[in-house]
Amino acid sequence: MPQDIAMTRSGTLVYADYLNRSINLVSGTQIQTLITLREWTPFGLCSTSSGDLLVIQNRDDEKQTKLVRYSGNTQKQSIQRDEQGNMLFSSDSTYTVHLSENRNLDICVADNGAGAVVVISAAGKLRFRYICTPSTTREPFRPDGIITDSRANILTSDPGNHRIHIIDQDGHFLRYIHNCGLQNPYGLCVDSRDNLFVAERKTGRVKKIQYYK
């Protein structure tokens, strides 16, 4: 049951297997298990510019979620709480959590359950939370897909409100993408020219959007 996918710097596909609690590498038709978890379940994946792998993990029995950095199959860093001891991420595994590394090496997490984008420094410190103002949307803000672009801006999908939010690297709202017929935008990807590709959950379509003039 693949939960999320990523591409390593060497061009290898990696995916999180929810049911088997494993992180796996795909080369051609060969599948190699890189990491097997015991008490935690992998969700979101991200391959970093340094070649590390970031994995969002959930533990149902204790209602906990954490972010772990791996170099190969060796754990280098575990991020779970802020400096006051509060949990950084939603603990409800029924919601999705996706992540992306920004150009400034911040880790940007779309925490659907918390209704927030959580941005953490490479050192594991909370930089900010972006929470949409309720008066500007009809449905609650539940971010899903997340990606960053060449300007270090953060883009996150808001399926319930049929829009994409763009915020800068310090958490300031810049604008919405919502005037091009988007329907339940979910997965996001940006290419080297800042063309945005959007997967729509219910229509089965992928749309290419040029959002910079």
Side-chain angles (χ1 to χ4, degrees):
M1 187 175 179
Q3 186 72 19
D4 201 3
I5 61 174
M7 189 70 71
T8 67
R9 292 188 66 190
S10 63
T12 302
L13 178 69
V14 58
Y15 71 92
D17 189 320
Y18 173 83
L19 292 181
N20 291 320
R21 296 184 175 183
S22 62
I23 308 298
N24 306 277
L25 302 175
V26 180
S27 179
T29 60
Q30 302 299 312
I31 299 175
Q32 173 190 352
T33 299
L34 178 67
I35 301 164
T36 300
L37 305 176
R38 294 183 178 180
E39 299 173 336
W40 296 81
T41 301
F43 281 84
L45 290 179
C46 174
S47 180
T48 72
S49 57
S50 66
D52 291 341
L53 191 65
L54 301 173
V55 184
I56 288 283
Q57 303 176 17
N58 180 272
R59 183 170 176 170
D60 280 337
D61 59 343
E62 296 184 6
K63 294 294 182 182
Q64 297 184 51
T65 300
K66 66 179 179 180
L67 171 62
V68 180
R69 181 188 298 269
Y70 294 93
S71 176
N73 58 8
T74 301
Q75 179 175 318
K76 294 175 59 178
Q77 184 184 33
S78 181
I79 304 168
Q80 189 173 19
R81 299 176 183 271
D82 63 18
E83 293 180 327
Q84 286 72 46
N86 301 311
M87 290 291 187
L88 287 168
F89 314 109
S90 168
S91 60
D92 192 339
S93 64
T94 60
Y95 293 98
T96 58
V97 182
H98 294 112
L99 68 161
S100 180
E101 183 188 53
N102 209 345
R103 291 174 64 88
N104 62 358
L105 304 185
D106 281 349
I107 305 167
C108 308
V109 180
D111 190 339
N112 186 279
V117 171
V118 183
V119 176
I120 303 161
S121 71
K125 305 297 183 182
L126 176 66
R127 290 202 59 229
F128 64 85
R129 291 177 184 270
Y130 168 76
I131 301 173
C132 179
T133 305
S135 61
T136 63
T137 58
R138 292 185 178 182
E139 298 295 327
F141 176 53
R142 298 290 186 188
D144 270 302
I146 190 164
I147 198 70
T148 63
D149 64 20
S150 66
R151 306 185 188 186
N153 290 330
I154 303 165
L155 292 82
T156 189
S157 58
D158 182 1
N161 294 292
H162 309 289
R163 62 181 60 181
I164 293 166
H165 300 237
I166 305 178
I167 60 178
D168 69 16
Q169 61 184 313
D170 296 313
H172 302 118
F173 172 78
L174 298 178
R175 65 186 180 94
Y176 295 122
I177 299 175
H178 62 103
N179 57 352
C180 51
L182 286 178
Q183 299 182 56
N184 300 108
Y186 187 69
L188 302 180
C189 179
V190 172
D191 68 13
S192 60
R193 297 184 178 181
D194 284 331
N195 292 306
L196 173 65
F197 295 84
V198 183
E200 294 182 328
R201 173 179 278 169
K202 294 186 177 180
T203 67
R205 296 177 179 174
V206 175
K207 293 182 177 178
K208 178 181 178 182
I209 300 172
Q210 293 178 310
Y211 62 100
Y212 284 137
K213 294 182 180 180

